Amino acid sequence: MKNIVILISGGGSNMAAIVHAAQRDHWERVHGARVAAVVSNKPDAGGLALAREQGIATEVVEHKRFASREAFDEALAAAIERHQPALVVLAGFMRILTPGFVTRYQGRLLNIHPSLLPAFPGLHTHQRALDAGCRFAGVTVHQVTAELDYGPILAQAVVPVLPEDTAAALAGRVLTQEHLIYPRAIAQLLPGLQDN
Ligand code: GAR
């Protein structure tokens, strides 16, 4: 079985979209793949309840309990390893990962970022796109490398920036696209993944 482990920090709507696509498109039968676990660095992340409702194993590794990024990433990797991942998917996971962690999962670690990378890495992407006068915004799915919000691009979607847009309105328009392209990008990778 090719186990997918999804890391979240918040509402988990991308995670839910991936779980939904896995069910709808029969990833287990077609690709021998399943969402094996959802891991959060926040105990109150809304996505945890969603995952539990779907019968998916959940883990919480609270970053606040660790003195350093390295110690947190060690505990995070231990939680992930319990589910023998073929693919680790960051879905609104809002922690910067150490080079050691990234190297460990190199080639099987994905992220979704709500901008058209390489534009606007980091936080507040939608407000920054508005402030820059962008006519288009969007979202990027990419392989994770040691550099923040960088790495080979797997998929992008573009949305228009509308007159009178607010960051929240733009975020909602982008999020709708996130839910389409993330499951699709993952599905394209599944045939090439190693079985555990
Ligand atoms: C999404 O918009 C995702 O692209 C973004 O956080 C949101 C999480 O929503 N990720 C980042 O900003 C990563 N730097 P979700 O929890 O509903 O999937």
Side-chain angles (χ1 to χ4, degrees):
M1 187 62 72
K2 297 167 181 174
N3 285 341
I4 301 167
V5 174
I6 304 180
L7 273 54
I8 65 168
S9 299
S13 70
N14 276 291
M15 177 275 295
I18 295 162
V19 168
H20 175 69
Q23 290 165 352
R24 182 195 61 206
D25 299 336
H26 309 286
W27 287 1
E28 194 148 345
R29 176 163 53 75
V30 177
H31 299 294
R34 60 166 185 173
V35 178
V38 171
V39 182
S40 173
N41 65 309
K42 294 202 170 172
D44 57 352
L48 286 170
L50 279 174
R52 287 190 199 109
E53 277 168 27
Q54 298 294 322
I56 297 168
T58 59
E59 306 251 10
V60 175
V61 185
E62 250 187 297
H63 63 275
K64 283 188 196 155
R65 291 176 185 268
F66 297 89
S68 66
R69 280 192 196 280
E70 285 73 19
F72 169 66
D73 279 7
E74 271 302 313
L76 184 64
I80 292 169
E81 284 308 309
R82 284 197 275 280
H83 304 280
Q84 301 182 305
L87 188 67
V88 178
V89 171
L90 308 179
F93 185 71
M94 304 303 280
R95 300 298 303 169
I96 293 173
L97 296 163
T98 56
F101 183 97
V102 172
T103 303
R104 178 174 196 156
Y105 293 108
Q106 192 92 55
R108 54 193 179 114
L109 182 59
L110 305 186
N111 184 39
I112 191 160
H113 182 75
S115 76
L116 293 171
L117 291 174
F120 308 125
L123 297 174
H124 311 300
T125 54
H126 305 300
Q127 190 58 53
R128 288 158 68 203
L130 292 177
D131 292 347
C134 294
R135 299 304 200 259
F136 294 93
V139 53
T140 304
V141 176
H142 65 99
Q143 301 266 10
V144 176
T145 57
E147 198 174 334
L148 179 71
D149 297 329
Y150 204 75
I153 290 171
L154 300 177
Q156 286 185 315
V158 177
V159 303
V161 176
L162 301 180
E164 316 299 327
D165 245 349
T166 60
L170 181 56
R173 196 173 309 123
V174 169
L175 194 62
T176 302
Q177 295 302 313
E178 298 188 30
H179 298 162
L180 297 175
I181 69 165
Y182 213 1
R184 221 179 277 154
I186 292 167
Q188 282 176 357
L189 287 181
L190 292 178
L193 291 180
Q194 292 246 306
D195 246 297
N196 286 89

PDB file of all heavy atoms in Angstrom, residues 114-144:
ATOM      1  N   PRO A 114      -0.329  29.411  -1.638  1.00  0.00           N
ATOM      2  CA  PRO A 114      -1.352  30.220  -2.295  1.00  0.00           C
ATOM      3  C   PRO A 114      -0.812  31.449  -3.027  1.00  0.00           C
ATOM      4  O   PRO A 114      -1.220  32.575  -2.763  1.00  0.00           O
ATOM      5  CB  PRO A 114      -2.276  30.607  -1.130  1.00  0.00           C
ATOM      6  CG  PRO A 114      -1.376  30.635   0.054  1.00  0.00           C
ATOM      7  CD  PRO A 114      -0.322  29.601  -0.175  1.00  0.00           C
ATOM      8  N   SER A 115       0.125  31.213  -3.946  1.00  0.00           N
ATOM      9  CA  SER A 115       0.568  32.273  -4.867  1.00  0.00           C
ATOM     10  C   SER A 115       1.137  31.583  -6.102  1.00  0.00           C
ATOM     11  O   SER A 115       1.343  30.368  -6.102  1.00  0.00           O
ATOM     12  CB  SER A 115       1.648  33.160  -4.243  1.00  0.00           C
ATOM     13  OG  SER A 115       2.904  32.486  -4.247  1.00  0.00           O
ATOM     14  N   LEU A 116       1.393  32.396  -7.112  1.00  0.00           N
ATOM     15  CA  LEU A 116       2.047  31.867  -8.314  1.00  0.00           C
ATOM     16  C   LEU A 116       3.552  31.959  -8.086  1.00  0.00           C
ATOM     17  O   LEU A 116       4.200  32.928  -8.476  1.00  0.00           O
ATOM     18  CB  LEU A 116       1.607  32.673  -9.549  1.00  0.00           C
ATOM     19  CG  LEU A 116       0.124  32.515  -9.916  1.00  0.00           C
ATOM     20  CD1 LEU A 116      -0.270  33.512 -10.998  1.00  0.00           C
ATOM     21  CD2 LEU A 116      -0.156  31.078 -10.386  1.00  0.00           C
ATOM     22  N   LEU A 117       4.105  30.940  -7.426  1.00  0.00           N
ATOM     23  CA  LEU A 117       5.551  30.938  -7.159  1.00  0.00           C
ATOM     24  C   LEU A 117       6.300  31.023  -8.493  1.00  0.00           C
ATOM     25  O   LEU A 117       5.827  30.487  -9.490  1.00  0.00           O
ATOM     26  CB  LEU A 117       5.934  29.666  -6.392  1.00  0.00           C
ATOM     27  CG  LEU A 117       5.415  29.588  -4.953  1.00  0.00           C
ATOM     28  CD1 LEU A 117       5.728  28.228  -4.338  1.00  0.00           C
ATOM     29  CD2 LEU A 117       6.016  30.708  -4.090  1.00  0.00           C
ATOM     30  N   PRO A 118       7.464  31.676  -8.536  1.00  0.00           N
ATOM     31  CA  PRO A 118       8.235  32.186  -7.394  1.00  0.00           C
ATOM     32  C   PRO A 118       7.776  33.539  -6.851  1.00  0.00           C
ATOM     33  O   PRO A 118       8.481  34.104  -6.015  1.00  0.00           O
ATOM     34  CB  PRO A 118       9.654  32.260  -7.950  1.00  0.00           C
ATOM     35  CG  PRO A 118       9.474  32.481  -9.412  1.00  0.00           C
ATOM     36  CD  PRO A 118       8.234  31.757  -9.791  1.00  0.00           C
ATOM     37  N   ALA A 119       6.624  34.055  -7.284  1.00  0.00           N
ATOM     38  CA  ALA A 119       6.135  35.290  -6.673  1.00  0.00           C
ATOM     39  C   ALA A 119       5.563  35.004  -5.290  1.00  0.00           C
ATOM     40  O   ALA A 119       4.905  33.980  -5.096  1.00  0.00           O
ATOM     41  CB  ALA A 119       5.047  35.915  -7.549  1.00  0.00           C
ATOM     42  N   PHE A 120       5.811  35.883  -4.369  1.00  0.00           N
ATOM     43  CA  PHE A 120       5.187  35.883  -3.038  1.00  0.00           C
ATOM     44  C   PHE A 120       5.358  34.582  -2.241  1.00  0.00           C
ATOM     45  O   PHE A 120       4.373  33.957  -1.841  1.00  0.00           O
ATOM     46  CB  PHE A 120       3.693  36.219  -3.145  1.00  0.00           C
ATOM     47  CG  PHE A 120       3.417  37.473  -3.922  1.00  0.00           C
ATOM     48  CD1 PHE A 120       2.557  37.459  -5.009  1.00  0.00           C
ATOM     49  CD2 PHE A 120       4.037  38.667  -3.573  1.00  0.00           C
ATOM     50  CE1 PHE A 120       2.307  38.607  -5.734  1.00  0.00           C
ATOM     51  CE2 PHE A 120       3.796  39.833  -4.298  1.00  0.00           C
ATOM     52  CZ  PHE A 120       2.922  39.791  -5.381  1.00  0.00           C
ATOM     53  N   PRO A 121       6.577  34.164  -1.988  1.00  0.00           N
ATOM     54  CA  PRO A 121       6.773  33.112  -0.978  1.00  0.00           C
ATOM     55  C   PRO A 121       6.421  33.699   0.392  1.00  0.00           C
ATOM     56  O   PRO A 121       6.331  34.922   0.531  1.00  0.00           O
ATOM     57  CB  PRO A 121       8.269  32.786  -1.076  1.00  0.00           C
ATOM     58  CG  PRO A 121       8.887  34.029  -1.629  1.00  0.00           C
ATOM     59  CD  PRO A 121       7.839  34.678  -2.511  1.00  0.00           C
ATOM     60  N   GLY A 122       6.219  32.844   1.382  1.00  0.00           N
ATOM     61  CA  GLY A 122       5.962  33.338   2.746  1.00  0.00           C
ATOM     62  C   GLY A 122       4.496  33.625   2.995  1.00  0.00           C
ATOM     63  O   GLY A 122       3.621  33.038   2.360  1.00  0.00           O
ATOM     64  N   LEU A 123       4.248  34.560   3.917  1.00  0.00           N
ATOM     65  CA  LEU A 123       2.888  34.792   4.414  1.00  0.00           C
ATOM     66  C   LEU A 123       2.175  35.942   3.685  1.00  0.00           C
ATOM     67  O   LEU A 123       2.790  36.666   2.912  1.00  0.00           O
ATOM     68  CB  LEU A 123       2.944  35.110   5.917  1.00  0.00           C
ATOM     69  CG  LEU A 123       3.494  33.977   6.801  1.00  0.00           C
ATOM     70  CD1 LEU A 123       3.633  34.459   8.248  1.00  0.00           C
ATOM     71  CD2 LEU A 123       2.615  32.736   6.734  1.00  0.00           C
ATOM     72  N   HIS A 124       0.881  36.085   3.946  1.00  0.00           N
ATOM     73  CA  HIS A 124       0.059  37.211   3.460  1.00  0.00           C
ATOM     74  C   HIS A 124       0.116  37.358   1.941  1.00  0.00           C
ATOM     75  O   HIS A 124       0.192  38.470   1.403  1.00  0.00           O
ATOM     76  CB  HIS A 124       0.503  38.524   4.140  1.00  0.00           C
ATOM     77  CG  HIS A 124       0.615  38.398   5.630  1.00  0.00           C
ATOM     78  ND1 HIS A 124      -0.465  38.046   6.435  1.00  0.00           N
ATOM     79  CD2 HIS A 124       1.676  38.513   6.469  1.00  0.00           C
ATOM     80  CE1 HIS A 124      -0.066  37.993   7.701  1.00  0.00           C
ATOM     81  NE2 HIS A 124       1.226  38.254   7.746  1.00  0.00           N
ATOM     82  N   THR A 125       0.077  36.256   1.251  1.00  0.00           N
ATOM     83  CA  THR A 125       0.265  36.259  -0.207  1.00  0.00           C
ATOM     84  C   THR A 125      -0.808  37.070  -0.926  1.00  0.00           C
ATOM     85  O   THR A 125      -0.508  37.771  -1.891  1.00  0.00           O
ATOM     86  CB  THR A 125       0.253  34.824  -0.744  1.00  0.00           C
ATOM     87  OG1 THR A 125      -0.949  34.186  -0.290  1.00  0.00           O
ATOM     88  CG2 THR A 125       1.445  34.031  -0.260  1.00  0.00           C
ATOM     89  N   HIS A 126      -2.053  36.955  -0.458  1.00  0.00           N
ATOM     90  CA  HIS A 126      -3.150  37.602  -1.197  1.00  0.00           C
ATOM     91  C   HIS A 126      -3.082  39.128  -1.051  1.00  0.00           C
ATOM     92  O   HIS A 126      -3.234  39.850  -2.023  1.00  0.00           O
ATOM     93  CB  HIS A 126      -4.489  37.043  -0.719  1.00  0.00           C
ATOM     94  CG  HIS A 126      -4.555  35.552  -0.812  1.00  0.00           C
ATOM     95  ND1 HIS A 126      -4.417  34.882  -2.003  1.00  0.00           N
ATOM     96  CD2 HIS A 126      -4.675  34.599   0.135  1.00  0.00           C
ATOM     97  CE1 HIS A 126      -4.483  33.584  -1.782  1.00  0.00           C
ATOM     98  NE2 HIS A 126      -4.623  33.381  -0.488  1.00  0.00           N
ATOM     99  N   GLN A 127      -2.823  39.596   0.168  1.00  0.00           N
ATOM    100  CA  GLN A 127      -2.693  41.040   0.373  1.00  0.00           C
ATOM    101  C   GLN A 127      -1.504  41.573  -0.423  1.00  0.00           C
ATOM    102  O   GLN A 127      -1.581  42.664  -1.011  1.00  0.00           O
ATOM    103  CB  GLN A 127      -2.524  41.343   1.870  1.00  0.00           C
ATOM    104  CG  GLN A 127      -2.620  42.829   2.201  1.00  0.00           C
ATOM    105  CD  GLN A 127      -3.957  43.433   1.760  1.00  0.00           C
ATOM    106  OE1 GLN A 127      -5.022  42.936   2.103  1.00  0.00           O
ATOM    107  NE2 GLN A 127      -3.901  44.507   0.958  1.00  0.00           N
ATOM    108  N   ARG A 128      -0.432  40.821  -0.446  1.00  0.00           N
ATOM    109  CA  ARG A 128       0.758  41.280  -1.186  1.00  0.00           C
ATOM    110  C   ARG A 128       0.483  41.338  -2.685  1.00  0.00           C
ATOM    111  O   ARG A 128       0.943  42.249  -3.380  1.00  0.00           O
ATOM    112  CB  ARG A 128       1.958  40.373  -0.868  1.00  0.00           C
ATOM    113  CG  ARG A 128       2.492  40.600   0.548  1.00  0.00           C
ATOM    114  CD  ARG A 128       3.266  39.408   1.055  1.00  0.00           C
ATOM    115  NE  ARG A 128       4.505  39.178   0.362  1.00  0.00           N
ATOM    116  CZ  ARG A 128       5.120  37.979   0.313  1.00  0.00           C
ATOM    117  NH1 ARG A 128       4.583  36.928   0.919  1.00  0.00           N
ATOM    118  NH2 ARG A 128       6.247  37.850  -0.320  1.00  0.00           N
ATOM    119  N   ALA A 129      -0.300  40.374  -3.186  1.00  0.00           N
ATOM    120  CA  ALA A 129      -0.654  40.388  -4.615  1.00  0.00           C
ATOM    121  C   ALA A 129      -1.531  41.604  -4.920  1.00  0.00           C
ATOM    122  O   ALA A 129      -1.350  42.275  -5.945  1.00  0.00           O
ATOM    123  CB  ALA A 129      -1.373  39.094  -4.991  1.00  0.00           C
ATOM    124  N   LEU A 130      -2.463  41.920  -4.005  1.00  0.00           N
ATOM    125  CA  LEU A 130      -3.311  43.106  -4.190  1.00  0.00           C
ATOM    126  C   LEU A 130      -2.463  44.376  -4.135  1.00  0.00           C
ATOM    127  O   LEU A 130      -2.602  45.261  -4.986  1.00  0.00           O
ATOM    128  CB  LEU A 130      -4.402  43.160  -3.109  1.00  0.00           C
ATOM    129  CG  LEU A 130      -5.482  42.073  -3.160  1.00  0.00           C
ATOM    130  CD1 LEU A 130      -6.446  42.237  -1.983  1.00  0.00           C
ATOM    131  CD2 LEU A 130      -6.243  42.125  -4.475  1.00  0.00           C
ATOM    132  N   ASP A 131      -1.583  44.453  -3.142  1.00  0.00           N
ATOM    133  CA  ASP A 131      -0.747  45.651  -2.979  1.00  0.00           C
ATOM    134  C   ASP A 131       0.158  45.882  -4.185  1.00  0.00           C
ATOM    135  O   ASP A 131       0.487  47.026  -4.519  1.00  0.00           O
ATOM    136  CB  ASP A 131       0.125  45.534  -1.708  1.00  0.00           C
ATOM    137  CG  ASP A 131      -0.712  45.580  -0.433  1.00  0.00           C
ATOM    138  OD1 ASP A 131      -1.900  45.947  -0.518  1.00  0.00           O
ATOM    139  OD2 ASP A 131      -0.172  45.219   0.631  1.00  0.00           O
ATOM    140  N   ALA A 132       0.573  44.791  -4.823  1.00  0.00           N
ATOM    141  CA  ALA A 132       1.468  44.899  -5.987  1.00  0.00           C
ATOM    142  C   ALA A 132       0.698  45.229  -7.262  1.00  0.00           C
ATOM    143  O   ALA A 132       1.297  45.453  -8.311  1.00  0.00           O
ATOM    144  CB  ALA A 132       2.245  43.591  -6.157  1.00  0.00           C
ATOM    145  N   GLY A 133      -0.629  45.241  -7.167  1.00  0.00           N
ATOM    146  CA  GLY A 133      -1.431  45.548  -8.352  1.00  0.00           C
ATOM    147  C   GLY A 133      -1.494  44.402  -9.344  1.00  0.00           C
ATOM    148  O   GLY A 133      -1.734  44.629 -10.548  1.00  0.00           O
ATOM    149  N   CYS A 134      -1.297  43.178  -8.876  1.00  0.00           N
ATOM    150  CA  CYS A 134      -1.353  42.025  -9.777  1.00  0.00           C
ATOM    151  C   CYS A 134      -2.740  41.923 -10.414  1.00  0.00           C
ATOM    152  O   CYS A 134      -3.752  42.155  -9.743  1.00  0.00           O
ATOM    153  CB  CYS A 134      -1.080  40.725  -9.010  1.00  0.00           C
ATOM    154  SG  CYS A 134       0.585  40.605  -8.363  1.00  0.00           S
ATOM    155  N   ARG A 135      -2.779  41.577 -11.683  1.00  0.00           N
ATOM    156  CA  ARG A 135      -4.065  41.345 -12.363  1.00  0.00           C
ATOM    157  C   ARG A 135      -4.488  39.884 -12.249  1.00  0.00           C
ATOM    158  O   ARG A 135      -5.625  39.528 -12.493  1.00  0.00           O
ATOM    159  CB  ARG A 135      -3.971  41.714 -13.849  1.00  0.00           C
ATOM    160  CG  ARG A 135      -3.638  43.171 -14.106  1.00  0.00           C
ATOM    161  CD  ARG A 135      -4.632  44.111 -13.434  1.00  0.00           C
ATOM    162  NE  ARG A 135      -4.608  45.424 -14.047  1.00  0.00           N
ATOM    163  CZ  ARG A 135      -3.984  46.485 -13.543  1.00  0.00           C
ATOM    164  NH1 ARG A 135      -3.317  46.372 -12.401  1.00  0.00           N
ATOM    165  NH2 ARG A 135      -4.026  47.643 -14.150  1.00  0.00           N
ATOM    166  N   PHE A 136      -3.514  39.043 -11.939  1.00  0.00           N
ATOM    167  CA  PHE A 136      -3.787  37.615 -11.756  1.00  0.00           C
ATOM    168  C   PHE A 136      -3.095  37.131 -10.496  1.00  0.00           C
ATOM    169  O   PHE A 136      -2.049  37.632 -10.113  1.00  0.00           O
ATOM    170  CB  PHE A 136      -3.303  36.797 -12.968  1.00  0.00           C
ATOM    171  CG  PHE A 136      -4.070  37.113 -14.223  1.00  0.00           C
ATOM    172  CD1 PHE A 136      -3.604  38.070 -15.105  1.00  0.00           C
ATOM    173  CD2 PHE A 136      -5.278  36.482 -14.490  1.00  0.00           C
ATOM    174  CE1 PHE A 136      -4.326  38.396 -16.245  1.00  0.00           C
ATOM    175  CE2 PHE A 136      -6.004  36.802 -15.626  1.00  0.00           C
ATOM    176  CZ  PHE A 136      -5.529  37.759 -16.509  1.00  0.00           C
ATOM    177  N   ALA A 137      -3.698  36.146  -9.867  1.00  0.00           N
ATOM    178  CA  ALA A 137      -3.097  35.502  -8.700  1.00  0.00           C
ATOM    179  C   ALA A 137      -3.288  33.996  -8.886  1.00  0.00           C
ATOM    180  O   ALA A 137      -3.741  33.556  -9.939  1.00  0.00           O
ATOM    181  CB  ALA A 137      -3.770  35.993  -7.421  1.00  0.00           C
ATOM    182  N   GLY A 138      -2.951  33.225  -7.870  1.00  0.00           N
ATOM    183  CA  GLY A 138      -3.134  31.796  -8.058  1.00  0.00           C
ATOM    184  C   GLY A 138      -2.479  30.962  -6.982  1.00  0.00           C
ATOM    185  O   GLY A 138      -2.225  31.440  -5.865  1.00  0.00           O
ATOM    186  N   VAL A 139      -2.188  29.736  -7.341  1.00  0.00           N
ATOM    187  CA  VAL A 139      -1.721  28.745  -6.386  1.00  0.00           C
ATOM    188  C   VAL A 139      -0.731  27.814  -7.069  1.00  0.00           C
ATOM    189  O   VAL A 139      -0.832  27.567  -8.265  1.00  0.00           O
ATOM    190  CB  VAL A 139      -2.916  27.960  -5.803  1.00  0.00           C
ATOM    191  CG1 VAL A 139      -3.801  27.364  -6.866  1.00  0.00           C
ATOM    192  CG2 VAL A 139      -2.444  26.882  -4.836  1.00  0.00           C
ATOM    193  N   THR A 140       0.206  27.300  -6.254  1.00  0.00           N
ATOM    194  CA  THR A 140       1.261  26.434  -6.773  1.00  0.00           C
ATOM    195  C   THR A 140       1.376  25.178  -5.919  1.00  0.00           C
ATOM    196  O   THR A 140       1.417  25.269  -4.694  1.00  0.00           O
ATOM    197  CB  THR A 140       2.626  27.167  -6.735  1.00  0.00           C
ATOM    198  OG1 THR A 140       2.517  28.390  -7.468  1.00  0.00           O
ATOM    199  CG2 THR A 140       3.734  26.304  -7.319  1.00  0.00           C
ATOM    200  N   VAL A 141       1.448  24.031  -6.574  1.00  0.00           N
ATOM    201  CA  VAL A 141       1.825  22.775  -5.900  1.00  0.00           C
ATOM    202  C   VAL A 141       3.258  22.483  -6.314  1.00  0.00           C
ATOM    203  O   VAL A 141       3.581  22.504  -7.506  1.00  0.00           O
ATOM    204  CB  VAL A 141       0.908  21.611  -6.320  1.00  0.00           C
ATOM    205  CG1 VAL A 141       1.389  20.300  -5.684  1.00  0.00           C
ATOM    206  CG2 VAL A 141      -0.533  21.899  -5.934  1.00  0.00           C
ATOM    207  N   HIS A 142       4.108  22.240  -5.315  1.00  0.00           N
ATOM    208  CA  HIS A 142       5.525  22.019  -5.648  1.00  0.00           C
ATOM    209  C   HIS A 142       6.162  20.984  -4.739  1.00  0.00           C
ATOM    210  O   HIS A 142       5.677  20.733  -3.625  1.00  0.00           O
ATOM    211  CB  HIS A 142       6.292  23.348  -5.577  1.00  0.00           C
ATOM    212  CG  HIS A 142       6.362  23.941  -4.188  1.00  0.00           C
ATOM    213  ND1 HIS A 142       7.456  23.800  -3.365  1.00  0.00           N
ATOM    214  CD2 HIS A 142       5.464  24.658  -3.466  1.00  0.00           C
ATOM    215  CE1 HIS A 142       7.227  24.417  -2.218  1.00  0.00           C
ATOM    216  NE2 HIS A 142       6.030  24.944  -2.248  1.00  0.00           N
ATOM    217  N   GLN A 143       7.255  20.398  -5.252  1.00  0.00           N
ATOM    218  CA  GLN A 143       8.084  19.550  -4.407  1.00  0.00           C
ATOM    219  C   GLN A 143       8.796  20.460  -3.411  1.00  0.00           C
ATOM    220  O   GLN A 143       9.169  21.583  -3.757  1.00  0.00           O
ATOM    221  CB  GLN A 143       9.162  18.844  -5.250  1.00  0.00           C
ATOM    222  CG  GLN A 143       8.614  17.967  -6.352  1.00  0.00           C
ATOM    223  CD  GLN A 143       8.476  16.508  -5.920  1.00  0.00           C
ATOM    224  OE1 GLN A 143       8.609  16.186  -4.744  1.00  0.00           O
ATOM    225  NE2 GLN A 143       8.199  15.661  -6.890  1.00  0.00           N
ATOM    226  N   VAL A 144       8.991  19.972  -2.208  1.00  0.00           N
ATOM    227  CA  VAL A 144       9.633  20.796  -1.182  1.00  0.00           C
ATOM    228  C   VAL A 144      11.138  20.577  -1.205  1.00  0.00           C
ATOM    229  O   VAL A 144      11.619  19.434  -1.216  1.00  0.00           O
ATOM    230  CB  VAL A 144       9.078  20.456   0.221  1.00  0.00           C
ATOM    231  CG1 VAL A 144       9.810  21.248   1.301  1.00  0.00           C
ATOM    232  CG2 VAL A 144       7.586  20.749   0.267  1.00  0.00           C
TER     233      VAL A 144
END
